[in-house]
Amino acid sequence: MLAIIGGTGLTKLANLNISRRQVVRTPYGDPSGALTFGEINGNEVVFLARHGYGHTLSPHEINYRANLWALAQQKLAGIVSVASVGGIRADLAPGKLIVPEQIIDYTWGRKHTYFEGTDKPVTHVDFTQPFSVPLREMILSSSKELNDPVLDGGVYACTQGPRLETAAEIRRLESDGADMVGMTGMPEACLARELGVPYAMLAVVANWAAGKNDSTQEIHLRAANEVVAEALQKVHRILECMSGVCTV
Ligand code: HPA
């Protein structure tokens, strides 16, 4: 079964036929909400709204450990994270979809590991490739099957938020090698790795990052809404296609 974590703009899945909701308690506290089980085109999926179903949790307030733990208790083929980002690279205009390949983590103070406490052995998970290679491939091939290929690759920078970045911070991220910027990819990706669950991201460009293109004076999110809505329609189609493949 495929798990989907929906970010900003994706608090529910329009094409999901809901069968049940399950409140899961974890040793790490409560997830952002109940897990929503249902079917897309007859294939079972489980959905979780990262910011809560009322979109009330800021990126730094999300209990990532509880979210990932709750999902990992299910029989999963993998987790697809749908996350909104600001575009840094010149071709990452609002409305574009991209499957990042790498991450740079700028967050701080978040509960970012399961391996802590004197009762757990010191463990260093490998994170050379932060996203599952086969799951990335599945997103990419589904988009190709739909004759609507999404962009492949790129570096996702994860900032702390909830404020957006300054133009100088974006220049710094760019010189670090970042192509896009978001606030929720970490520690989510790393916790999935610690739990051994394949995880990949489908990023939706919601705006130009600070200082870029039409965001030189301030970030224009409103103007981007229409293209983002259209991009989210594509996300739905890709997930529909993927749910048919991830039936394990
Ligand atoms: N910065 C950080 N996170 C984001 C942005 C941004 O510009 N847009 C959407 N998520």
Side-chain angles (χ1 to χ4, degrees), residues 84-87 157 159 163-165 170 181-183 204 206-210 219 221:
S84 90
V85 295
T159 56
R163 69 163 175 85
L164 292 157
E165 299 72 33
I170 292 298
V181 56
M183 298 176 189
V204 183
N207 56 280
W208 286 107
I219 290 196
L221 276 169

Side-chain angles (χ1 to χ4, degrees), residues 30-236:
D30 292 336
S32 299
L35 302 186
T36 305
F37 291 84
E39 288 185 348
I40 297 181
N41 268 358
N43 302 300
E44 201 184 12
V45 302
V46 55
F47 178 79
L48 177 64
R50 179 185 286 117
H51 298 276
Y53 291 94
H55 204 271
T56 51
L57 295 168
S58 261
H60 66 291
E61 295 174 315
I62 293 166
N63 189 338
Y64 296 94
R65 291 199 299 186
N67 284 355
L68 275 288
W69 186 271
L71 287 173
Q73 304 312 301
Q74 318 307 316
K75 210 165 167 260
L76 296 184
I79 300 174
V80 175
S81 151
V82 180
S84 90
V85 295
I88 299 177
R89 208 170 71 197
D91 62 331
L92 291 183
K96 292 281 171 133
L97 294 178
I98 180 163
V99 181
E101 190 183 24
Q102 279 294 330
I103 296 177
I104 305 177
D105 185 11
Y106 299 92
T107 65
W108 46 268
R110 300 182 181 186
K111 298 274 189 197
H112 63 289
T113 181
Y114 295 108
F115 297 116
E116 61 182 13
T118 48
D119 57 330
K120 306 228 180 55
V122 175
T123 305
H124 306 287
V125 290
D126 177 71
F127 207 44
T128 312
Q129 296 298 331
F131 298 112
S132 155
V133 174
L135 196 56
R136 285 188 73 252
E137 211 36 62
M138 235 180 267
I139 303 175
L140 292 164
S141 58
S142 293
S143 76
K144 281 181 203 143
E145 220 168 283
L146 296 164
N147 282 327
D148 211 350
V150 299
L151 295 163
D152 176 5
V155 177
Y156 172 100
C158 193
T159 56
Q160 175 71 0
R163 69 163 175 85
L164 292 157
E165 299 72 33
T166 66
E169 285 169 336
I170 292 298
R171 285 198 297 274
R172 174 194 167 204
L173 299 190
E174 191 172 23
S175 76
D176 283 357
D179 298 303
M180 69 204 93
V181 56
M183 298 176 189
T184 55
M186 287 296 287
E188 205 172 81
C190 178
L191 291 168
R193 179 62 52 84
E194 286 191 354
L195 292 168
V197 181
Y199 174 98
M201 181 189 289
L202 177 54
V204 183
V205 183
N207 56 280
W208 286 107
K212 295 288 173 192
N213 206 285
D214 69 354
S215 294
T216 48
Q217 295 309 311
E218 62 175 296
I219 290 196
H220 296 283
L221 276 169
R222 193 156 33 94
N225 270 355
E226 224 167 78
V227 280
V228 172
E230 208 179 302
L232 286 169
Q233 295 298 319
K234 282 192 203 175
V235 169
H236 277 103

